[in-house]
Amino acid sequence: MKATSTALAIHGGRPVRDEKRPWPVWPVAAPGASSALDAVLSSASWAITSPYQSELQERRFARMFAAYVGTEHCVPTDHGSSALVITLESLGLRYGDPVLVPALTWVASATAVLRAGLVPVLADVDPATGCLDASAVVAESEVSAVIAVHWACNMADVPAIAAAAAPLGAAVIEDAAQAHGARWQGRPAGSLGAAGCFSMQHSKVLTCGEGGAVVTDDAERAGLLEELRADSRRYRNDPVRGELPLRESANTMGANFCLSEFGAALLCAQLEVLDEQHAIRNRNYELLGRLLADVPGVRLLSRNPSQDKLSLYEVPLIFDPLPHGTTNAWAASALTAELRIRVYPPRPPLSRSRLLAPWLKPTLAPLAERLAARNAGRRFPGAEYLANHAVLLHHSAFLGTEEDMMDLAEAAVKITRYIASGRPA
Ligand SMILES: Cc1ncc(COP(=O)(O)O)c(C=O)c1O
């Protein structure tokens, strides 16, 4: 690592990163993206509810993504949040049933539970991995479903969680919004639980701006999911040109959570480059791990050896120990100044998130009361540890070169040395 000024950039010193070297920009449009969008534009078929012309992009993407994840079925949606809502609805639970949700996740993992008329019960995560651990499920006496979130770049141990949930009769849903292409003992994220939910929102590794999908091997559930996301309608087996390709099957009551044809066409194009991008990011991540291996005071999150492929989303660097008075929020600002790229602390655990506030919606009052009652007295030391010691970097920072990793490591070393010197942050 090259020697730099020891004065921190946040204190006016020279930043590690030269301003003439920009970081990779996200998203990266795949080579086929522009022509795929043009084809939809000129097709007069912009939605799955347009008069039928030829195979819908949405059907094509569903086939491609199911093949990618290794499941029988895929039902695309307009958001990852709605993927979670309809998957929870497909379980056929009763109003107010409790659903276990890890405390360290994006708020949508819990708000989807409320939107489905259910109550999130918050569980702590393993501070070593950031994910829900089977022991947290064993500790529960009454939950109707479990949402196993794959967090940041780590996968939850879904087989162990499912084994712990089975005696409770609780289904396990994977929230794989952050984990497209990750693998556990060779099996893709999303294919390990009763169903897997993905987000294709702007920041995700596979994106069309706003989008989502549910994958499952269960044909009956897939049919229900189709209805739940298209106002109680399913695809016709024999679509007729010029007519609506959906029929009113109405086995359940749905809503409109459909992905647009533009989103689906873009996702088909982006999926073609996803594994190439994974390879670049994962190679750079391994290098960063080697560069930081002997650096005291900073480390990468450890990963369960059963996870045999990473899908980087927000990459955590853990600063520990942090002396009294030095926060990870400060470390994130100091790194941002050194690197000229946004580095940020994780969101607070859901137990103290301003965003999880069902009492602000009068129609959710009964669920809000149950939320408060079910979560009273629960503690989240694992989630708090990571929320207070990690800083996060978006996966796009890993799409560049080895020099980029050297800059990251050098900036991390600079910050840890400053922290170790005992000077005030
Ligand atoms: C873990 C997790 N679950 C659910 C979602 C919700 O996805 P969307 O923003 O597409 O609704 C996200 C999005 O960030 C997420 O990270």
Side-chain angles (χ1 to χ4, degrees):
M1 263 174 255
K2 55 186 194 267
T4 44
S5 122
T6 50
L8 298 183
I10 199 172
H11 295 153
R14 188 157 60 87
V16 166
R17 185 75 171 184
D18 189 315
E19 65 187 327
K20 293 195 197 80
R21 290 185 48 230
W23 290 91
V25 172
W26 187 256
V28 181
S34 181
S35 57
L37 288 170
D38 278 348
V40 177
L41 200 57
S42 55
S43 74
S45 181
W46 291 9
I48 69 168
T49 44
S50 301
Y52 185 72
Q53 305 286 329
S54 58
E55 188 191 35
L56 289 163
Q57 295 299 319
E58 198 255 16
R59 289 291 74 203
R60 196 170 144 241
F61 172 66
R63 256 201 341 269
M64 286 173 70
F65 197 60
Y68 185 76
V69 180
T71 55
E72 293 290 326
H73 308 278
C74 167
V75 179
T77 57
D78 56 355
H79 296 95
S81 307
S82 39
L84 285 165
V85 171
I86 62 170
T87 302
L88 288 158
E89 288 176 340
S90 78
L91 299 179
L93 302 178
R94 284 159 312 151
Y95 178 80
D97 277 348
V99 178
L100 204 64
V101 179
L104 196 66
T105 177
W106 175 236
V107 68
S109 310
T111 49
V113 174
L114 293 159
R115 287 170 64 191
L118 305 164
V119 178
V121 176
L122 302 180
D124 200 13
V125 299
D126 178 351
T129 65
C131 295
L132 192 67
D133 185 74
S135 61
V137 182
V138 170
E140 300 298 327
S141 57
E142 193 214 342
V143 287
S144 302
V146 177
I147 299 186
V149 178
H150 303 310
W151 184 73
C153 49
N154 271 353
M155 284 179 74
D157 183 350
V158 176
I161 289 171
L168 302 169
V172 178
I173 295 172
E174 286 176 78
D175 182 343
Q178 307 184 358
H180 320 59
R183 285 176 181 259
W184 187 271
Q185 294 175 340
R187 294 174 61 193
S191 70
L192 297 132
C197 300
F198 291 85
S199 163
M200 280 68 159
Q201 172 269 343
H202 169 98
S203 63
K204 305 304 187 299
V205 291
L206 178 66
T207 180
C208 60
E210 297 281 9
V214 187
V215 296
T216 182
D217 282 329
D218 182 334
E220 198 177 330
R221 188 184 313 287
L224 274 180
L225 290 166
E226 266 187 41
E227 288 194 17
L228 286 163
R229 72 89 164 80
D231 286 323
S232 318
R233 294 167 298 175
R234 297 186 188 201
Y235 292 106
R236 293 170 62 153
N237 294 330
D238 51 352
V240 176
R241 221 179 137 75
E243 291 183 17
L244 186 67
L246 305 176
R247 66 186 166 88
E248 295 184 3
S249 39
N251 296 291
T252 182
M253 195 184 78
N256 184 357
F257 296 129
C258 295
L259 180 66
S260 84
E261 284 291 275
F262 292 100
L266 189 50
L267 287 174
C268 290
Q270 295 301 123
L271 189 54
E272 300 284 359
V273 297
L274 178 58
D275 279 336
E276 249 168 68
Q277 293 176 338
H278 276 317
I280 297 168
R281 279 186 293 249
N282 292 356
R283 200 169 50 236
N284 278 328
Y285 183 77
E286 296 299 331
L287 172 60
L288 181 64
R290 290 197 297 280
L291 293 172
L292 293 181
D294 299 320
V295 178
V298 65
R299 62 186 168 87
L300 299 180
L301 197 61
S302 55
R303 127 169 78 129
N304 188 310
S306 290
Q307 185 177 345
D308 39 34
K309 185 175 163 202
L310 284 172
S311 172
L312 302 187
Y313 174 55
E314 290 175 314
V315 175
L317 297 180
I318 318 292
F319 283 87
D320 50 9
L322 275 177
H324 184 69
T326 303
T327 64
N328 58 334
W330 174 83
S333 302
L335 279 169
T336 300
E338 296 298 341
L339 291 165
R340 304 176 194 271
I341 189 173
R342 181 171 171 250
V343 183
Y344 46 100
R347 264 81 45 178
L350 293 184
S351 47
R352 57 184 177 85
S353 168
R354 296 180 60 225
L355 307 182
L356 182 62
W359 44 87
L360 297 178
K361 273 193 167 170
T363 52
L364 291 181
L367 292 176
E369 275 168 31
R370 292 191 205 193
L371 175 75
R374 288 295 305 231
N375 289 289
R378 295 176 79 95
R379 298 277 172 266
F380 310 98
E384 289 291 354
Y385 189 85
L386 288 172
N388 292 320
H389 288 82
V391 302
L392 304 175
L393 263 161
H394 188 247
H395 61 81
S396 53
F398 291 76
L399 276 176
T401 61
E402 291 189 359
E403 286 78 52
D404 292 344
M405 297 304 104
M406 289 177 192
D407 282 353
L408 288 182
E410 187 176 335
V413 168
K414 207 170 158 188
I415 304 301
T416 54
R417 284 196 186 138
Y418 184 85
I419 292 171
S421 73
R423 281 168 290 174

